[in-house]
């Protein structure tokens, strides 16, 4: 029988062995050297680098291979010094040394503090100090992981650990991994499509695998055309930047090309354009003309739905027309963003806390913080549940019927 965790390919193909982790050979070697020898001289290590490149996976796979028991804590989700200490206490307390000293079958214990940079934004400012104290007092090696070690608050941490830097995984390696998964999942994929997913991922293996699954799982096939709908992973052009370029455009062609390169969420973008149009055009006739184009774009967006992506160019054209009603009259202005309708209709407090609970459940199973669960998993899980509300994924995550309903109905966030 299929295991429920197999439903998400990022979990199904989570590296079980160190060798399964592709790329970052130097970082891997450095970390393994620390684990084998250096941990006796330097007690803590900080792995850092961009998201989805295998940092958490390496810690878990290596611990398994070395026979370490892992005491894991996601620091991003742990808001107070007290909570941090509660998780880490066994590592610093002599009373539990028996469990910790590595007697018996295990190769000992390690304390694993994941996403420690998340702590910098948390309310309790004692967080980082608490971690340093743990490192100092810990009787077992401490492994920490972060995305950005330069967050100012993390600086003191750098003094007490060995730093291991991870980089984006190279595109050819990601393509090879995607090809392997396609083979195992019986997906017939065009090479160009895999190339596009890999490039779009910007070296983030997690998002590449998620994209592959969402685009190919249903039909077991993948063409370049299918990758047209890849969502906002293009970290280069943010919503704000897209709006800025869109409104300052000099021609329809320029706006049209901008829209096909940017990968902001189309629905959000349409709403944001409507919100900002009155700031762009102060002349009533121009504003009316522009709104006319936007309403046609909206019509096309409706017809595109989730499958008629060949209509995308008409959607772009109408939007491009709206931006170029009068290029000469452009004056910079401050954007209203995120879209007003999203803020007022969607974000009630109850919903926010429900989303938080959902993200907590995802985080616990997939080794990510709430924040990452929200951005990297929710859109995708939501898409699965919309297609198949009875998907066994819901049970795996332990979602209540209300939570499934919430995910299915949520427009965007
Ligand atoms: N280098 C890699 N080789 C193989 N699979 C990978 C690699 N990196 C990521 N993955 C896939 O992506 C998933 C998530 O990876 P992981 O949790 O290790 O990312 P991370 O580097 O810890 O990211 P973050 O900083 O966002 O926590 C893994 O379960 C695996 O499926
Ligand atoms: Mg991680």
């Amino acid at each position: 029988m299929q295991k429920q965790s197999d439903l998400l390919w990022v979990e199904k193909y989570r590296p079980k062995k160190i060798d399964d982790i592709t790329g970052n050979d130097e970082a891997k070697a450095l970390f393994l050297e620390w684990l084998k020898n250096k941990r006796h001289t330097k007690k803590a290590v900080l792995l850092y680098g961009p998201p989805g490149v295998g940092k958490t996976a390496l810690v878990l796979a290596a611990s398994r291979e070395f026979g370490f028991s892992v005491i894991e804590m996601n620091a991003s989700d742990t808001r107070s010094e007290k909570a941090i200490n509660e998780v880490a206490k066994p590592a610093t307390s002599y009373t539990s040394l028996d469990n910790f000293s590595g007697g018996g079958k295990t190769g000992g214990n390690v304390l694993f503090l994941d996403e420690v940079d998340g702590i910098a934004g948390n309310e309790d400012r004692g967080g980082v100090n608490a971690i340093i104290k743990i490192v100092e007092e810990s009787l077992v090696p401490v492994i920490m992981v972060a995305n950005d070690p330069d967050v100012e608050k993390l600086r003191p941490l750098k003094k007490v650990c060995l730093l291991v830097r991870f980089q984006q995984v190279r595109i050819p390696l990601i393509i090879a991994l995607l090809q392997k998964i396609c083979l195992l999942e019986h997906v017939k994929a065009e090479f160009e499509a895999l190339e596009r997913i890999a490039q779009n991922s910007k070296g983030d293996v997690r998002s590449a695998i998620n994209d592959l699954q969402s685009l190919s799982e249903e039909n077991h096939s993948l063409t370049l055309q299918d990758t047209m709908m890849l969502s906002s992973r293009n970290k280069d052009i943010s919503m704000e930047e897209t709006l800025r370029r869109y409104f300052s455009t000099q021609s329809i062609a320029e706006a049209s090309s901008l829209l096909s390169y940017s990968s902001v969420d189309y629905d959000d973008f349409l709403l944001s354009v409507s919100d900002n149009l009155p700031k762009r055009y102060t002349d009533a006739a121009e504003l009316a003309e522009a709104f006319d184009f936007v309403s046609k774009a909206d019509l096309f967006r409706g017809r595109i739905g989730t499958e008629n992506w060949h209509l995308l160019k008409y959607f772009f054209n109408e939007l491009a027309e709206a931006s170029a009603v009068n290029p000469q009259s452009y004056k910079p202005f401050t954007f209203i963003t995120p879209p007003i309708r999203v803020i007022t209709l969607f974000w009630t407090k109850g919903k926010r806390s429900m989303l938080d609970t959902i993200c907590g459940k995802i985080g616990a199973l997939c080794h990510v913080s709430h924040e990452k669960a929200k951005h990297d998993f929710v859109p995708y899980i939501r898409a699965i549940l919309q297609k198949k509300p009875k998907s066994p994924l819901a049970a795996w995550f332990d979602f209540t019927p209300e939570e499934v309903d919430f995910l299915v109905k949520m427009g965007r966030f």
Side-chain angles (χ1 to χ4, degrees):
M1 205 184 89
Q2 191 183 30
K3 277 197 305 203
Q4 286 178 333
S5 58
D6 282 358
L7 294 166
L8 269 188
W9 291 358
V10 278
E11 287 309 314
K12 186 172 180 181
Y13 299 106
R14 177 176 280 284
K16 310 228 163 22
K17 302 193 304 289
I18 300 167
D19 272 353
D20 295 339
I21 294 166
T22 187
N24 279 298
D25 292 340
E26 273 175 37
K28 262 164 46 182
L30 199 59
F31 173 66
L32 294 177
E33 172 61 16
W34 177 83
L35 210 50
K36 276 185 209 140
N37 304 313
K38 299 266 171 60
R39 70 189 153 88
H40 303 298
T41 47
K42 190 118 194 172
K43 213 185 332 169
V45 65
L46 173 63
L47 314 183
Y48 69 96
V53 297
K55 301 181 298 299
T56 301
L58 175 63
V59 175
L60 297 178
S63 303
R64 190 179 307 121
E65 272 184 45
F66 281 71
F68 282 112
S69 307
V70 179
I71 303 159
E72 184 179 351
M73 181 184 87
N74 195 303
S76 278
D77 295 337
T78 314
R79 293 189 178 264
S80 68
E81 186 171 345
K82 189 164 155 265
I84 292 169
N85 284 330
E86 262 163 32
V87 180
K89 205 160 114 219
T92 55
S93 112
Y94 285 96
T95 50
S96 44
L97 198 58
D98 281 352
N99 306 328
F100 257 76
S101 57
K105 269 182 257 144
T106 74
N109 293 273
V110 288
L111 181 62
F112 175 23
L113 308 177
D114 204 355
E115 302 191 26
V116 286
D117 41 357
I119 214 166
N122 288 346
E123 300 127 26
D124 187 318
R125 303 203 151 246
V128 172
N129 289 338
I131 290 182
I132 291 176
K133 217 162 125 213
I134 289 165
V135 172
E136 281 164 358
E137 293 177 5
S138 173
L139 302 170
V140 302
V142 183
I143 303 173
M144 288 172 279
V145 172
N147 288 127
D148 178 7
D150 282 324
V151 176
E152 208 198 325
K153 293 194 67 181
L154 282 190
R155 247 177 241 151
L157 265 187
K158 289 164 102 173
K159 296 199 185 107
V160 295
C161 18
L162 170 75
L163 293 180
V164 178
R165 177 173 174 214
F166 280 70
Q167 291 171 322
Q168 295 176 342
V169 176
R170 291 190 302 113
I171 307 296
L173 295 177
I174 298 188
I175 296 177
L177 182 68
L178 296 180
Q179 282 176 316
K180 208 163 98 190
I181 295 178
C182 284
L183 212 65
L184 294 166
E185 294 292 334
H186 310 288
V187 170
K188 252 185 89 184
E190 286 179 7
F191 181 80
E192 292 75 14
L194 298 182
E195 199 176 22
R196 168 119 211 271
I197 292 177
Q199 277 165 350
N200 192 60
S201 76
K202 299 271 185 286
D204 177 340
V205 186
R206 180 197 293 126
S207 74
I209 298 177
N210 272 339
D211 280 339
L212 177 70
Q213 181 171 12
S214 65
L215 294 174
S216 71
E217 192 179 25
E218 219 170 5
N219 303 324
H220 290 272
S221 77
L222 180 72
T223 63
L224 185 59
Q225 176 72 21
D226 297 332
T227 62
M228 281 288 283
M229 62 193 285
L230 278 181
S231 61
S232 53
R233 290 265 161 58
N234 188 339
K235 289 159 188 153
D236 294 339
I237 313 185
S238 65
M239 173 66 92
E240 184 104 14
E241 176 67 6
T242 308
L243 284 172
R244 194 186 60 72
R245 290 203 217 165
Y246 171 81
F247 280 116
S248 60
T249 185
Q250 287 303 305
S251 69
I252 296 172
E254 187 190 324
S256 191
S257 123
L258 162 72
L259 292 171
S260 49
Y261 281 110
S262 167
S263 39
V264 289
D265 181 290
Y266 297 139
D267 297 316
D268 280 353
F269 188 70
L270 193 62
L271 287 171
S272 282
V273 167
S274 315
D275 291 344
N276 287 289
L277 224 43
K279 292 183 115 186
R280 167 65 183 85
Y281 297 113
T282 39
D283 177 273
E286 283 173 14
L287 182 62
E289 195 182 337
F291 263 124
D292 209 35
F293 287 122
V294 169
S295 72
K296 284 188 200 137
D298 191 22
L299 268 180
F300 277 115
R301 179 65 192 100
R303 282 188 216 150
I304 290 168
T306 52
E307 46 202 24
N308 297 313
W309 291 94
H310 60 281
L311 297 177
L312 201 57
K313 56 177 179 291
Y314 301 108
F315 171 70
F316 287 160
N317 282 351
E318 296 298 342
L319 269 183
E321 295 256 16
S323 76
V325 167
N326 182 0
Q328 289 75 41
S329 68
Y330 173 72
K331 287 194 198 74
F333 59 92
T334 314
F335 300 120
I336 301 171
T337 176
I340 291 173
R341 211 191 306 166
V342 176
I343 311 172
T344 50
L345 291 187
F346 193 70
W347 282 116
T348 61
K349 196 153 176 276
K351 281 179 175 159
R352 251 198 312 265
S353 72
M354 186 175 275
L355 183 59
D356 207 44
T357 313
I358 290 172
C359 290
K361 291 180 177 177
I362 298 170
L365 285 172
C366 298
H367 303 278
V368 289
S369 63
H370 290 203
E371 213 35 46
K372 269 191 190 136
K374 188 160 114 191
H375 291 115
D376 290 352
F377 288 82
V378 166
Y380 171 58
I381 290 168
R382 184 183 140 232
I384 296 182
L385 292 176
Q386 278 174 337
K387 271 189 227 152
K388 240 168 68 180
K390 301 235 173 324
S391 164
L393 255 193
W396 185 55
F397 281 118
D398 197 26
F399 291 151
T400 62
E402 291 75 33
E403 285 162 354
V404 173
D405 192 50
F406 169 80
L407 281 168
V408 169
K409 290 193 185 138
M410 79 189 269
R412 56 189 68 80
F413 55 90

